[in-house]
Amino acid sequence: MSSSSCNGSPSLNSVPTHGQPLWLLAELTYKCPLQCPYCANPLDFANRNTELTTEEWIKVFEEGRKLGAVQLGFSGGEPLVRQDLVTLISEARRLGYYTNLITSGVGLNERKVAEFRDAGLDHIQVSFQAADESVNNMLAGSQKAFNQKLKMAREVKAQGYPMVLNFVTHRHNIDQIDRIIELCIELEADYVELATCQYYGWAYENRENLLPTRAQLERAERITNEYREKLAAEGNPIKLIFVTPDYYEERPKGCMNGWGQVFLTVTPDGTALPCHSAKMLPIEFPNVRDNSLDHIWNESFGFNHFRGYEWMKEPCRSCDDKEKDFGGCRCQAYMMTGDATNADPVCSKSEHHHLITDARAEAEQPLDSSKMLYRNERNSRVFFSSSEFE
Amino acid sequence: MISNESIPTLNTMFRFQWEQAQNSYVLLYPEGMIQLNGPAGEILALVDGEKPVAGIVADLKGKFGDVDGLESDVLEFLAEAHKQRWIEISRSNVG
Ligand SMILES: C[S@@+](CC[C@H](N)C(=O)[O-])C[C@H]1O[C@@H](n2cnc3c(N)ncnc32)[C@H](O)[C@@H]1O
Ligand code: SF4
Ligand code: SF4
């Protein structure tokens, strides 16, 4: 696929309309003390250039706010690794953002929770790997992770934050969904994300080990619904969010509410993306070091590439559902079919839909105890040393 | 039930602010935003955890004049806001 810089390109007159980047996700660093094999971070994360400086991030936040961004997520990797996090929080808050810290809880302590509060942090999301200590620590690749998370979740509530607890669910923890929900109730979460694993990055590499069976999913969804009713009857305001498992759907998700419509992600080295996985696509994406966010959002080749419907092939092009799901996820189409302009293979109208049904069939097979690939620097290097010679 | 003496307070789960890009007041919460229409925004802007409903109505009358049905509109909106958990309600000692 060709790409070019597009300053003043006349074809831009025909660019379809798009909204404001209401959601700005700042992936501050790819460094992380944990090694979750389901991590959606890029496989070659260790191959990235230098991280943006404090000043560069603040400039991004200022420009984002001017474009209408209001939600700012600090994520990564583990955002707590950044020593300037408290400065970034207070600058973001000063600009009027609602500030979200998305963390594993590892690296957090009572003092930091208070410091962040003083700096204006609005909300903390803590992720867990499981409700069971040994499964949690096995998946995190750390023996101390579970107890640390418990302690920090309690601290976050004690200091008065709204708290989201996030559990990525897959075949190793989904059968304990009742215990997950019980734990979230005990920890007084305000929102619980039962985040069905999305198969990108490390999760795609480990899919065979992670994808649950249809029966597992249906059971989990049923139990979640039973808890919803019970909690509502008790007047408990906790909200359970069950993320739809697209591998068991016949129509794809309306990925990111449409390409370049609401979301803007900036990766640690300053690359701006319409979603956190898009770097894998054979498209050139702009960098905040070279361009203003205004230019990036409104005029760059990368962001305009899949806006509208002109890029579509059949069966999407003539399909009535295209305004609803935009043909699904571009990354999933590319990863699985080799062509990012294809329909997302989750769609039963896609000629590649068998790739999804094959994965479902594979999930029915017993695990051949194959080892999972942990997300760490050493394993990551394998991916960029081989991709350098492409 | 919400009455004229009730004192509404913004639920700490939400942050309320004017959002220039939306040209409206909004409620912000973890990873989400509720855009408020004109009247809803004007009412919530007066919710400070001290003023009773009667005071909010008086302020609105001062700002927009003695509009028909203002009081019942305010009560109706606050009841809905309470149901949505945007606000909490306490009762003042008077009344
Ligand atoms: C990539 S992590 C970065 C922040 C921090 N290290 C953490 O784990 O909370 C951001 C969020 O995405 C979730 N996540 C990671 N991989 C995922 C996947 N494959 N599918 C769905 N959610 C995922 C994590 O649980 C976390 O809530
Ligand atoms: S999902 Fe796990 S491995 Fe990935 S960044 Fe978060 S804590 Fe680290
Ligand atoms: S054919 Fe394309 S547009 Fe139609 S439902 Fe499938 S993915 Fe969506």
Side-chain angles (χ1 to χ4, degrees), chain A residues 9-78:
Chain A
S9 149
S11 67
L12 287 176
N13 296 331
S14 62
V15 161
T17 56
H18 53 270
Q20 298 162 316
L22 291 177
W23 229 123
L24 182 59
L25 187 71
E27 293 188 331
L28 298 179
T29 180
Y30 280 134
K31 298 198 181 81
C32 182
L34 301 187
Q35 314 179 37
C36 315
Y38 60 73
C39 184
N41 278 172
L43 290 164
D44 63 349
F45 72 86
N47 188 26
R48 295 301 161 83
N49 304 325
T50 51
E51 289 178 5
L52 294 184
T53 62
T54 312
E55 290 67 36
E56 285 170 323
W57 274 118
I58 293 170
K59 180 168 159 280
V60 169
F61 301 162
E62 283 166 352
E63 292 177 354
R65 196 69 187 120
K66 286 202 192 104
L67 287 174
V70 63
Q71 289 281 347
L72 177 60
F74 296 106
S75 187
E78 180 46 64

Side-chain angles (χ1 to χ4, degrees), chain A residues 33-34 104-106 127-129 133 136-152:
Chain A
L34 301 187
S104 69
V106 175
S127 63
F128 278 75
Q129 281 67 31
E133 179 174 4
N136 186 95
N137 292 347
M138 183 271 286
L139 289 164
S142 153
Q143 282 318 304
K144 294 181 195 141
F146 187 69
N147 283 326
Q148 165 71 7
K149 286 164 188 286
L150 281 184
K151 233 167 92 187
M152 286 309 114

Side-chain angles (χ1 to χ4, degrees), chain A residues 65 71 93 96-97 122 125, chain B residues 15 17 19 29-32:
Chain A
R65 196 69 187 120
Q71 289 281 347
R93 181 59 196 263
Y97 282 102
D122 288 291
Q125 168 177 317
Chain B
R15 210 175 98 192
Q17 75 182 24
E19 195 54 19
Y29 59 97
E31 304 184 6

Side-chain angles (χ1 to χ4, degrees), chain A residues 306 311-316 326-330 332-334 336-345 350-352:
Chain A
F306 293 119
W311 55 270
M312 282 182 173
K313 299 208 282 204
E314 292 301 344
C316 298
F326 326 106
C329 171
R330 292 309 88 224
Q332 199 146 272
Y334 177 69
M336 300 184 83
T337 77
D339 182 347
T341 62
N342 277 333
D344 184 331
S350 156
E351 60 177 307
H352 301 101

Side-chain angles (χ1 to χ4, degrees), chain A residues 165-374:
Chain A
L165 293 182
N166 166 287
F167 285 77
V168 176
T169 63
H170 43 72
R171 66 190 287 164
H172 298 287
N173 64 8
I174 197 165
D175 291 335
Q176 283 85 48
I177 194 116
D178 47 345
R179 290 180 55 197
I180 291 177
I181 296 172
E182 291 287 348
L183 179 63
C184 294
I185 297 170
E186 186 207 316
L187 293 171
E188 295 174 69
D190 297 289
Y191 300 85
V192 178
E193 272 180 25
L194 301 164
T196 309
C197 188
Q198 307 274 319
Y199 297 97
Y200 301 96
W202 297 81
Y204 191 64
E205 239 9 72
N206 289 309
R207 189 183 67 186
E208 177 186 2
N209 257 287
L210 294 170
L211 187 67
T213 64
R214 184 186 290 277
Q216 280 185 299
L217 261 170
E218 285 175 354
R219 177 178 173 275
E221 202 158 5
R222 176 173 54 72
I223 292 174
T224 306
N225 284 329
E226 286 164 9
Y227 267 101
R228 283 190 180 128
E229 281 172 29
K230 184 170 153 254
L231 290 162
E234 291 168 0
N236 189 330
I238 186 171
K239 285 209 169 60
L240 306 181
I241 301 155
F242 194 95
V243 177
T244 325
D246 67 344
Y247 267 60
Y248 287 95
E249 301 282 334
E250 299 304 312
R251 290 288 176 269
K253 57 191 176 225
C255 196
M256 308 316 279
N257 284 312
W259 180 270
Q261 295 301 316
V262 214
F263 287 92
L264 199 168
T265 299
V266 179
T267 65
D269 72 357
T271 308
L273 304 172
C275 86
H276 46 263
S277 294
K279 186 79 192 232
M280 73 164 84
L281 298 172
I283 298 175
E284 197 177 298
F285 287 104
N287 191 296
V288 298
R289 284 177 166 142
D290 310 322
N291 296 109
S292 72
L293 227 49
D294 185 343
H295 172 86
I296 287 171
W297 181 258
N298 290 306
E299 286 161 58
S300 72
F301 173 85
F303 277 76
N304 280 322
H305 202 67
F306 293 119
R307 280 180 174 142
Y309 308 101
E310 276 308 302
W311 55 270
M312 282 182 173
K313 299 208 282 204
E314 292 301 344
C316 298
R317 183 170 269 275
S318 58
C319 176
D320 288 342
D321 282 342
K322 63 175 177 285
E323 287 167 32
K324 204 163 71 191
D325 63 32
F326 326 106
C329 171
R330 292 309 88 224
C331 299
Q332 199 146 272
Y334 177 69
M335 238 181 342
M336 300 184 83
T337 77
D339 182 347
T341 62
N342 277 333
D344 184 331
V346 162
C347 184
S348 60
K349 294 187 191 177
S350 156
E351 60 177 307
H352 301 101
H353 186 57
H354 64 91
L355 296 170
I356 295 287
T357 52
D358 289 351
R360 292 179 197 164
E362 202 178 83
E364 299 294 337
Q365 301 305 313
L367 275 183
D368 56 7
S369 82
S370 53
K371 279 259 233 356
M372 282 202 271
L373 187 70
Y374 281 84

Side-chain angles (χ1 to χ4, degrees), chain B residues 16 25 35-47 77-78 86:
Chain B
F16 173 83
Y25 284 109
Q35 203 176 335
L36 299 160
N37 67 22
E42 294 297 339
I43 297 170
L44 279 188
L46 294 169
V47 167
F77 168 73
L78 289 177
W86 299 343

